[in-house]
Amino acid sequence: MTTITKTCSIVFSPTHTSQKVANVIMKGTGIPDATPYNFTLPPVFSLHIDCDTLVVFAAPVYGGHIPPIAIERMKKVTGEQSPAIVVVVYGNRDYEHALEEFAALVRQQGFKVIAAATFIGEHSYSTRQYPISAGRPNKNDLLKAETFGQEVAKKISNESSIQEIDVKQIERPEQSLWTTLRFIAKVLRVKGAKKPVQPTPSITDISSCTHCGVCAENCPTQAISIGEEQTTDFSRCIRCCACVKMCPLHIRIYETPFSQLLSTCYAREKEPHTLL
Ligand SMILES: Cc1cc2nc3c(=O)[nH]c(=O)nc-3n(C[C@H](O)[C@H](O)[C@H](O)COP(=O)(O)O)c2cc1C
C-alpha cells in the first residue's frame, strides 16, 4: 500500500468557481503538502503526478460536457495509479455526461478515481438582471466541499487498498421533466426567431476602456490582445465570459438570450452531490 503524503488540485476554471471548489476540497483533506495547479491560462505544461499524491481534478460543464480545451490541457497530466477526486461544476442547469467523461479521461491519464462530486457555480451567463445560481459556490457549498475533502482523507487512511468508484452511482440533481421540456421549448423558440446573437463578449463603451489588459490576461484562449480589447477573435473565443466577469469597469458584456432563459427555467437552486 502506498501512503498518501501529498495533494494537489488540477483545474481548468475561467471564472474561478471550479477552482474555488477544488481548492477547498484539497484543504479539507488536511494534507499539509498541497499544491494548486491551474491549467486555465497558457502556457500549458506537462505534469507527472506520483502515486503518493491525491489529486483533485475540477472543470466546468459546457453544454453538458467538459470543454474540449480543458480536455486538451488535462491530457498533459499523467499519473501512476495516483488516487484522484473528479469534480464537475455546472451552472444549475445540468451536467449530463460530463462527470462520466471526465472520470474516463482521468483514468486514461493514469489515475484511480476514488471519489467524485458535482457542485454548482454561478453560471457564466448570469447577469444582475438575469441571475443564474449567482454567488455559487456559496458558504454552504464550500462547507460541503471541505467536509467532502475530510471524508476522502478518511477513506484513504481507512482502506488498505483504496477502492475505485463508479461515478454513475452519484445522485443526480433533482429536476422535473416539465422543467427540461419547458427549457427545450424555449430554446427552440429562441433559435426559431433567428434574432442576431452577439458572437463574442465585447465592450459596450469603447471610449471608457483604459486598456488595463485584465480581459486579455484572463482569457484562456488568447482571443483578446492587450491594446485591442475591443476586438475578440471569434475563432478562439469559447464564450467562457472570464473577460466579462473580470473587467474592473464592467464594460465588457455578453448578451445572450440564454441568460434570461436559464434564469427563468432554473431559478430553483440545485445541491452539490458527492460520491466516495
Ligand atoms: C459555453 C458555456 C456552456 C455552459 N453549459 C452549461 C451546461 O450545459 N450546464 C450548466 O449547468 N451550466 C453550463 N454552463 C455554466 C458553467 O458550467 C458554470 O458557470 C461554471 O460554474 C463555470 O465554471 P468556472 O467558473 O470554473 O469557469 C456553461 C457555461 C458556458 C460558458
Side-chain angles (χ1 to χ4, degrees):
M1 184 186 112
T2 313
T3 311
I4 303 302
T5 57
K6 291 181 269 178
T7 183
C8 70
S9 59
I10 297 176
V11 304
F12 177 83
S13 183
T15 61
H16 304 168
T17 61
S18 312
Q19 183 185 12
K20 253 188 221 163
V21 171
N23 288 344
V24 172
I25 295 172
M26 181 167 75
K27 181 175 154 231
T29 65
I31 302 169
D33 188 345
T35 312
Y37 292 106
N38 195 333
F39 277 55
T40 313
L41 300 174
V44 180
F45 47 91
S46 296
L47 183 64
H48 186 74
I49 306 288
D50 296 332
C51 56
D52 66 348
T53 306
L54 169 67
V55 187
V56 187
F57 282 97
V61 175
Y62 284 8
H65 299 276
I66 299 299
I69 187 167
I71 296 177
E72 192 187 304
R73 291 184 184 178
M74 301 260 177
K75 279 190 175 167
K76 296 266 183 194
V77 185
T78 50
E80 288 175 13
Q81 286 309 297
S82 328
I85 308 171
V86 177
V87 184
V88 295
V89 178
Y90 67 106
N92 204 49
R93 185 189 65 77
D94 200 353
Y95 59 87
E96 277 95 11
H97 297 291
L99 185 67
E100 282 169 53
E101 289 167 5
F102 201 15
L105 169 73
V106 163
R107 251 182 240 119
Q108 179 195 301
Q109 295 307 112
F111 295 86
K112 197 167 162 179
V113 177
I114 63 149
T118 59
F119 275 82
I120 323 301
E122 174 168 318
H123 201 292
S124 322
Y125 299 165
S126 177
T127 63
R128 204 173 286 179
Q129 189 182 9
Y130 301 117
I132 318 156
S133 51
R136 307 280 302 267
N138 57 26
K139 239 168 82 182
N140 287 342
D141 296 322
L142 295 179
L143 201 65
K144 182 139 191 179
E146 191 164 0
T147 308
F148 176 54
Q150 289 164 358
E151 288 166 352
V152 175
K154 213 181 277 173
K155 170 172 170 152
I156 289 171
S157 62
N158 286 348
E159 289 179 25
S160 50
S161 107
I162 311 164
Q163 291 299 309
E164 278 206 65
I165 55 150
D166 174 7
V167 296
K168 284 192 208 123
Q169 303 301 319
I170 200 163
E171 193 178 333
R172 299 288 308 184
E174 247 180 66
Q175 188 141 289
S176 70
L177 182 62
W178 157 245
T179 304
T180 309
L181 293 176
R182 183 170 168 243
F183 177 67
I184 293 170
K186 282 180 185 284
V187 171
L188 292 175
R189 210 171 306 148
V190 164
K191 290 201 166 157
K194 291 201 172 124
K195 270 197 196 155
V197 183
Q198 194 181 328
T200 63
S202 62
I203 300 178
T204 42
D205 177 7
I206 288 162
S207 63
S208 304
C209 177
T210 59
H211 305 286
C212 67
V214 169
C215 55
E217 281 158 15
N218 286 286
C219 175
T221 58
Q222 297 176 310
I224 309 164
S225 308
I226 296 181
E228 289 171 43
E229 291 85 352
Q230 67 274 27
T231 321
T232 309
D233 183 342
F234 176 75
S235 66
R236 284 176 170 265
C237 177
I238 55 167
R239 266 85 45 206
C240 68
C241 295
C243 60
V244 175
K245 302 236 174 190
M246 273 163 248
C247 173
L249 299 174
H250 310 290
I251 55 170
R252 283 192 81 87
I253 57 149
Y254 185 48
E255 266 183 15
T256 158
F258 281 96
S259 297
Q260 183 177 9
L261 230 132
L262 289 160
S263 178
T264 314
C265 294
Y266 297 99
R268 193 163 154 236
E269 298 221 356
K270 296 189 170 76
E271 291 305 317
H273 292 293
T274 60
L275 181 73
L276 283 165

